[in-house]
Every structure is written in structure tokens, then in C-alpha cells.
Amino acid sequence: RADVKMQHKQLRVWNLKLSDAGVYTCEYGPRKVHISLHIFKLTISLDGHFLQNEVPELILMQNSSGPLPDLSITLFDSNNNRVTPELQNKNREKYVMNLKKLEAMDSGTWVCHVHSDSPLINQNISFDVKVLGFQNPDLERKYATVDSTFILSWHLNSQKIKWTEGFRGQLNWKQQENANAHELLDFNVTAQGQLHETKKSSSLLFETPERKPESTIQVKLPEVHFNHSGQYQCQLEYQGRHAQSKIELVVMKVSANPVGPLSRGANMTLTCQVSGPLPPNAYLRWERVNGTRMDIKNSKKHEVKLEVNISAAGLWSCHLIEDSDRKISLHYYVEEAPVWINHVIIGASVGGSLLAFALGCLCIISGISSHRRRQRAKRMAQARQYLLENKTCQCQQ
């Protein structure tokens, strides 16, 4: 592992080991030159191949012919940001450190800077870190409207970091946290580093887009249903370890009661509903397009259903607003009933009123006639009784 270049009086040693540390002496005639070789060895767990959210372990060892110095260690990530490691074990021969939880963006070349005042040491040791994972956030919330077309995407960084070693994964969907999961896709990486997918469920109304960016897992909902809401989890597996990324899909729908044209003077109830709980900074809003402030109604905190009673036709919109940003909107056009329908309704109302009045009058007249007939019968009965009494009296005389 060594050779000597006599012309330049150089000793070259390659594939250094910790045991190569020591004092090297060069003798040239009567002259002697002593050089102390101090050796560092830096190792990283799992050969530098990680999944996101894993915590690497870094071990720095040193060896020297003299007393080992107390080292100061500084780390810089691939974006040249300073990282403070958590020191697990420290003696002058071996430093064991835990780094932060890794994210996909941490892939690249890191630098470990080693410093000592006595002897003076300023040494940069570079090492590679590859983090296989998703460029999506760990938990992402997406919004869709009923009957729309929607694509859910997970972006892997496998092409970016040229990860060609075998990994596989799957895409699952479940409507609630404790519900049964439906497996939608299986995928794995080929020898050329390309993703290969297999659709698992044919009974569900999901599709796999034919064209999509490289290293992207996608599922397409050609026509969103209200029950398509829930958690979609994409999971990676590599050497028995797992990483996952979730997308929470919230679906909105609107309805009206009664359904149909709005007659003049009538009321209608519009309902806007979302399929899952909203974050504290999100709410629903009904408003009439080109309407007034009186035509605006906001939901309360954590409400997933908002109803509004309206008496004005036109285009009504329900918005889902998060942090003053409209995420989705769904429109409902309330049609005004034609004039002839209004006239029919008015005529029916007037006719009904007149009919009721006529019936009332008939009842009153009939009641008066019945009362008069009773009074007349009563008077006739009294007259007959009077005559009978008078005849009786005459016979007695």
C-alpha cells in the first residue's frame, strides 16, 4: 500500500488505516526529517443510504503517535447549513453523534469540520448522504369538488439522487383513520432506475395516468365522488425500513331544497358540505355573485356544513377559504321561475282565497237560514200549545 518517489523524496501511502498513524522518518545522508501522521476515520450508518425521517449515526475516530487532542466537531449539510449533532459518546479515540431527522432535500455531500488548537488541526472530511423519500410534505391536505377530475401525486427523488438500488412501495386509501385500507398501486424500481407500477384495484373508480413526470406516483379520479374523500398514503420500503407520505383529500358538494326554479316571494335552502374536518384556519362561505353584503354567510369554527336561506335567484357560490386563500369553489345557479308560473301561483292564491271566502259566506248564510228555521218552528210550536190551552179552557166553562 505504499511506494517511494525518489525524485521528489515522497512516500505515498494509499487506502489508509487508523493503524497507519505514527511518526515517519526520512533519512537522506546525515539529515533526518520526522513527520507525525494523524489519521481520522469517519463512518456513517447504513452506508449513507437512508429513508426520510431516519436519523443517521456518525462515528469519528482518530489515531496519532502522541496524545490524542480534544476535538471540536462542526457539521454542514448538503445546503451548507450548520447542523448541531447530538453527541452520544465521547472519548478522545471515538466520537459518536446522531444527526437530525433527514428529509429528501438533505441528499448530497455533507462536510465534517474537525478542529484542534494543540496540535493545530483544521480538517474537512466530506461524506455522501442519500435520502430516498418524497418531496411532498409529510401530511398534505388537498381539496376537490364533486364531479371534478383530480390527480393525487407523490414526487420521489429517486432520479435526482440516482438511486438504482432495489426498493418497492404501495399506495393505499382509506376513508377514515381506523377504516380498512384499499390497496390501489404496487410499485418498484427497475434495474435502470425506472419506476414500474401495477394497479391493484379494478373495482374502484381510479385510474393511473399514462403520462407523468419521472419518479412520480399518481392516481387519477376521473369523476370525484363525495365518498372518495379520506387518507391516501404512499409507502416506501427499503431493506425492511419504511417511509410514507399522506394526502388528506377533502371533497365539497352543494345541494338545494326545494330543487327547481325559485318563485317570487318563495324561499330556498342552499347547503354546502365538506367530507371531513377543516383546520382551525379554514371555513366555508356562501355568497351571491354580484350580490350585496347581506348575501354573504360564513361558517363557524370547525363546521363542515353551511346552510343559507335565500329568496333571490342568481348564481350562488360556496368557497372553502384557508388563510384568506380560496382553495376551491362550487357554484349553484338558482333559476327564477317564469312569469306565467308566478301568475298561475298568484291566480291560484287569489282563486283559493275567493273560494275560501265564498265557502265562508255559504256557511254563514246556511247557518242563518238554519237559525231562522229553528226560530220559526219554535214559534209555531208555541202557537199550537197556546191554542190547545185556550180550547181546553172553553170546554171547562
Side-chain angles (χ1 to χ4, degrees), residues 271-315:
T271 302
C272 180
Q273 184 177 356
V274 291
S275 58
L278 297 176
N281 58 339
Y283 61 94
L284 300 173
R285 169 180 288 177
W286 269 118
E287 67 178 8
R288 184 164 66 98
V289 178
N290 298 326
T292 64
R293 289 183 174 271
M294 299 297 293
D295 297 324
I296 297 177
K297 184 178 180 181
N298 295 332
S299 66
K300 297 180 181 178
K301 193 174 182 179
H302 301 304
E303 280 187 341
V304 296
K305 180 189 290 187
L306 179 62
E307 294 182 346
V308 60
N309 293 319
I310 67 168
S311 57
L315 183 63

Side-chain angles (χ1 to χ4, degrees), residues 123-139:
Q123 184 72 33
N124 287 330
I125 307 173
S126 60
F127 58 98
D128 290 330
V129 175
K130 289 187 176 182
V131 187
L132 178 63
F134 303 93
Q135 298 176 10
N136 306 54
D138 286 341
L139 178 60

Side-chain angles (χ1 to χ4, degrees), residues 135-158:
Q135 298 176 10
N136 306 54
D138 286 341
L139 178 60
E140 195 173 7
R141 182 177 286 105
K142 295 290 186 179
Y143 299 106
T145 58
V146 167
D147 297 331
S148 66
T149 299
F150 198 79
I151 296 178
L152 296 167
S153 298
W154 287 264
H155 304 285
L156 287 168
N157 65 339
S158 56

